[in-house]
């Protein structure tokens, strides 16, 4: 009887510790990481490995990776933010998840840094490339203005939430989401102009691979950010947020401001730098 009681007490204590946030295990980050690795491998094989493997291999790897990445991120977000709110009507540990997001962004810096290092090696060779279209035009200026404006609207939207102004928060969050969508549309149009009109594609030498690799990676991050904003906006419409319940908005803001900062650096180095 004593053994059963002790076992039951231990189990209860463990569950209590987990509920209080002292112990938490999740499979979703691992699923997302495996999905991202498979997606990157599939995309890489499309450009450099089609002579090594059947063409179906990168398609399967990329498709499965995309599904795994999205499923992992969705499960992770649900577990971290939504499920706890639905179950307990309370917010998650804001400081814990904000710190986790910062650590993720620090690791993400390494991903972008690899691309910038590759570009730096290209610049040490003969320059400019044989076929270099005019990169710095009105479209990139407009896109940059849109993305910077979205950071401003998200910042003041979060401030409105903290002050209890729900209508202003909803309006500014909706504007941020719309600006993110328009930015993605602008980047797609830019790609069309470069490929269809200028004949500048990812196969246009080392610079083409660097340009589309870096801007495409950033575009993927923006797309994920737009997804996070869309989820946040849908939850905001249902009244899930309050001044004391803003963890998801806080972490999403950190991610979105990081994406904006990377874009500014990318424009200075890649668009402006290419013209020098």
């Amino acid at each position: 009887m004593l053994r059963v009681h002790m076992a039951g007490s231990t189990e209860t204590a463990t569950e209590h510790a987990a509920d209080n946030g002292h112990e938490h295990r999740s499979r979703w980050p691992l699923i997302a990481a495996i999905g991202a690795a498979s997606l990157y491998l599939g995309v890489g094989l499309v450009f450099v490995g089609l002579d090594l493997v059947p063409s179906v291999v990168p398609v399967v790897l990329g498709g499965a990776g995309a599904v795994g990445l999205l499923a992992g991120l969705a499960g992770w977000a649900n577990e971290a933010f939504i499920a706890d709110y639905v179950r307990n009507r309370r917010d998650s540990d804001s400081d814990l998840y904000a710190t986790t997001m910062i650590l993720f962004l620090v690791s993400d810096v390494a991903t972008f840094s690899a691309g910038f290092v590759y570009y730096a090696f290209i610049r040490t060779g003969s320059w400019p490339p044989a076929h270099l279209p005019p990169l710095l035009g009105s479209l990139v200026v407009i896109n940059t203005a849109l993305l910077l404006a979205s950071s401003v609207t998200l910042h003041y939207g979060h401030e409105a939430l903290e002050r209890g102004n729900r209508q202003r928060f909803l309006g500014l969050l909706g504007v941020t989401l719309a600006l993110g969508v328009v930015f993605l549309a602008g980047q797609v149009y830019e790609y069309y102009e470069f490929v269809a009109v200028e004949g500048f594609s990812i196969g246009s030498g080392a610079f083409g691979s660097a340009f589309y690799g870096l801007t495409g990676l950033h575009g993927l991050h923006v797309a994920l950010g737009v997804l996070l904003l869309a989820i946040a906006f849908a939850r905001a419409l249902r009244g899930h947020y309050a001044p004391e319940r803003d963890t998801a908005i806080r972490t999403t803001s950190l991610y979105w401001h990081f994406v904006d900062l990377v874009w500014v650096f990318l424009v200075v180095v890649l668009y402006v730098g290419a013209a020098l």
Side-chain angles (χ1 to χ4, degrees):
M1 293 295 292
L2 180 60
R3 184 177 302 171
V4 173
H5 176 72
M6 291 178 64
S9 299
T10 303
E11 182 178 352
T12 302
T14 302
E15 291 176 353
H16 179 69
D19 289 340
N20 285 335
H22 300 301
E23 179 180 338
H24 181 71
R25 296 184 178 90
S26 176
R27 65 183 182 276
W28 295 113
L30 179 61
I31 293 174
I34 294 174
S38 178
L39 175 60
Y40 290 156
L41 180 59
V43 172
L45 287 174
V46 168
F47 298 115
V48 301
L50 288 181
D51 295 334
L52 305 175
V53 297
S55 58
V56 69
V57 172
V59 174
V60 172
L61 282 174
V67 172
L69 175 60
L70 292 176
L73 292 175
W76 195 0
N78 177 72
E79 189 175 71
F81 304 117
I82 302 174
D84 191 49
Y85 175 83
V86 172
R87 182 171 59 251
N88 302 315
R89 292 294 169 179
R90 63 179 177 82
D91 209 1
S92 305
D93 189 333
S94 178
D95 291 337
L96 173 64
Y97 284 106
T99 302
T100 303
M101 176 58 77
I102 291 173
L103 291 175
F104 166 75
L105 296 178
V106 168
S107 68
D108 216 24
V109 169
T111 303
F112 281 101
S113 296
F116 284 114
V117 168
Y118 174 60
Y119 174 69
F121 274 108
I122 294 174
R123 288 302 302 262
T124 60
S126 59
W127 192 264
H131 179 60
L132 182 63
L135 299 178
L136 192 59
S138 58
L139 183 57
V140 69
V141 173
I142 293 172
N143 263 2
T144 302
L146 290 174
L147 210 55
L148 291 177
S150 70
S151 266
V152 175
T153 55
L154 185 56
H155 170 76
Y156 284 106
H158 190 195
E159 277 196 354
L161 173 64
E162 292 178 329
R163 294 174 181 173
N165 190 336
R166 183 173 183 274
Q167 291 303 317
R168 180 176 172 82
F169 163 63
L170 282 173
L172 289 173
L173 185 60
V175 171
T176 304
L177 175 60
L179 289 172
V181 172
V182 174
F183 174 86
L184 285 177
Q187 190 166 15
V188 171
Y189 179 73
E190 180 185 60
Y191 279 4
Y192 169 78
E193 286 285 310
F194 283 153
V195 175
V197 179
E198 301 289 344
F200 175 65
S201 68
I202 195 170
S204 300
F207 179 75
S209 64
F211 176 84
Y212 284 100
L214 281 167
T215 57
L217 180 62
H218 180 267
L220 175 62
H221 280 72
V222 174
L224 291 175
V226 167
L227 178 61
L228 291 176
L229 289 170
I231 294 172
F233 186 67
R235 292 187 62 196
L237 290 175
R238 301 182 65 179
H240 285 195
Y241 302 119
E244 70 280 0
R245 295 198 307 268
D246 67 339
T247 301
I249 300 300
R250 186 181 303 278
T251 53
T252 300
S253 295
L254 286 171
Y255 178 87
W256 193 253
H257 295 324
F258 169 79
V259 168
D260 287 6
L261 181 62
V262 170
W263 176 253
V264 172
F265 187 72
L266 194 153
V267 168
V268 171
V269 173
L270 200 60
Y271 286 83
V272 178
L276 299 178

